[in-house]
Amino acid sequence: MFLTNAIVLLIFFTLFFVIAQVKKNNGLADMAWGLGFVITAISSAIYQLIQGNQILLGSWIILVLVLIWGLRLFFYIGIRNWNKPEDFRYVNMRKKWKTNVALKAYVYVFLLQGLLNYLIGLPIQFSFAHSGTTTSVVILAIGTILWIIGFYFEAKGDAELKVFKKNPANKGKILDTGLWSVSRHPNYFGESVMWWAIFIVSLSAFDPILLIGIVGPSLITYLLLFVSGVPLLEKKYKDNPLYQAYAAKTSIFFPLPPKK
């Protein structure tokens, strides 16, 4: 199953690479991100069904949670980015690479995202690969409730930002209300929480091997906090006095009451 999922993701991200080259927009890789986990969950379920293996309740719950999250993110980013200019991050990459841009985009954007997608999705895969029969309803409930909290922060945060940006009167301003008043990146916080929740749901099957899945939430949290999430946006606004005033009173990641 693990090899099958790797091959499926390779084909999936290669397909998105081709679409991105046609559209001349490597930012479409962001669309593929959430959908990649949906592909992994569906591929895992289909593989186990074909093999005639039992699929535990926790795995079915993970499939539903991943479908809800991944499809929402796919359509949210897709509607926003499909006909928009390439995101500044990918524009900067083009300027930095100068030559063999398409090849470098394939390797450093699409293949790399595919690899990260595979690793972060390990809790999904290990959950489906498990063939035990014992399930903890308590752990399922804890994980599901935690996922709902994370989903709320990501979806509500995205919705607030979308409404804010659509209002011409807010041009040049910084969103500092709603969830954005307690965290400068509530959507990233929510995504991290959801992956920890999915990992917890996977542990409902009571098997030590499932602990390997901790790679997933650990990796996505690290990336969001230190690599491709928070740091890029913080750097983008480092010379913006309005944002710096906002940053002085608002938690960077974990939701906290604003400083006075």
Side-chain angles (χ1 to χ4, degrees), residues 41 46 49 51 61 100 169 181 188 191 209 211 219 227 246 258:
I46 291 175
L49 289 172
Q51 295 295 317
I61 289 177
N100 299 317
S181 68
Y188 290 156
E191 183 166 349
I209 197 171
L211 291 171
L219 180 55
V227 182
Y246 166 64

Side-chain angles (χ1 to χ4, degrees), residues 192-203:
S192 174
V193 169
M194 280 188 287
W195 280 108
W196 283 105
I198 287 172
F199 170 63
I200 290 172
V201 170
S202 75
L203 296 181

Side-chain angles (χ1 to χ4, degrees), residues 20-251:
Q21 301 322 295
V22 172
K23 294 282 291 183
K24 295 181 172 56
N25 186 351
N26 288 324
L28 296 184
D30 294 343
M31 287 178 62
W33 181 250
L35 197 56
F37 296 108
V38 173
I39 296 297
T40 294
I42 293 176
S43 173
S44 298
I46 291 175
Y47 182 91
Q48 292 298 76
L49 289 172
I50 290 175
Q51 295 295 317
N53 297 328
Q54 180 184 12
I55 297 178
L56 298 180
L57 176 60
S59 300
W60 285 119
I61 289 177
I62 286 176
L63 175 62
V64 172
L65 298 182
V66 171
L67 281 172
I68 294 172
W69 170 76
L71 291 176
R72 186 207 75 85
L73 191 63
F74 170 72
F75 286 110
Y76 172 75
I77 294 178
I79 293 171
R80 184 185 67 189
N81 292 357
W82 184 251
N83 289 315
K84 292 288 182 67
E86 193 172 52
D87 185 85
F88 75 95
R89 295 168 296 161
Y90 300 98
V91 171
N92 290 338
M93 288 179 190
R94 287 181 183 276
K95 293 178 180 178
K96 179 181 178 181
W97 292 333
K98 296 181 180 178
T99 60
N100 299 317
V101 174
L103 177 60
K104 290 175 181 176
Y106 181 58
V107 175
Y108 298 125
V109 176
F110 291 88
L111 288 186
L112 178 58
Q113 281 211 17
L115 175 61
L116 293 174
N117 205 281
Y118 181 86
L119 293 174
I120 293 169
L122 283 177
I124 302 171
Q125 300 187 70
F126 273 101
S127 177
F128 275 97
H130 189 267
S131 58
T133 57
T134 305
T135 298
S136 170
V137 177
V138 173
I139 294 178
L140 283 180
I142 292 173
T144 302
I145 292 171
L146 186 63
W147 184 89
I148 292 172
I149 293 172
F151 184 77
Y152 172 79
F153 268 87
E154 182 179 77
K156 185 72 161 53
D158 283 344
E160 289 177 348
L161 184 60
K162 183 178 180 180
V163 170
F164 180 82
K165 286 185 173 181
K166 283 182 68 175
N167 187 345
N170 292 326
K171 187 174 182 179
K173 296 181 180 180
I174 301 298
L175 174 59
D176 60 358
T177 58
L179 294 181
W180 298 84
S181 68
V182 295
S183 171
R184 304 207 294 271
H185 305 279
N187 47 352
Y188 290 156
F189 169 76
E191 183 166 349
S192 174
V193 169
M194 280 188 287
W195 280 108
W196 283 105
I198 287 172
F199 170 63
I200 290 172
V201 170
S202 75
L203 296 181
S204 63
F206 290 119
D207 190 333
I209 197 171
L210 295 169
L211 291 171
I212 299 175
I214 199 173
V215 169
S218 299
L219 180 55
I220 188 61
T221 302
Y222 174 79
L223 290 174
L224 290 172
L225 277 173
F226 303 111
V227 182
S228 62
V230 171
L232 287 179
L233 288 175
E234 291 293 313
K235 183 179 180 180
K236 179 181 179 181
Y237 292 104
K238 66 182 179 67
D239 297 322
N240 185 316
L242 288 178
Y243 189 84
Q244 293 310 310
Y246 166 64
K249 65 179 181 180
T250 311
S251 171

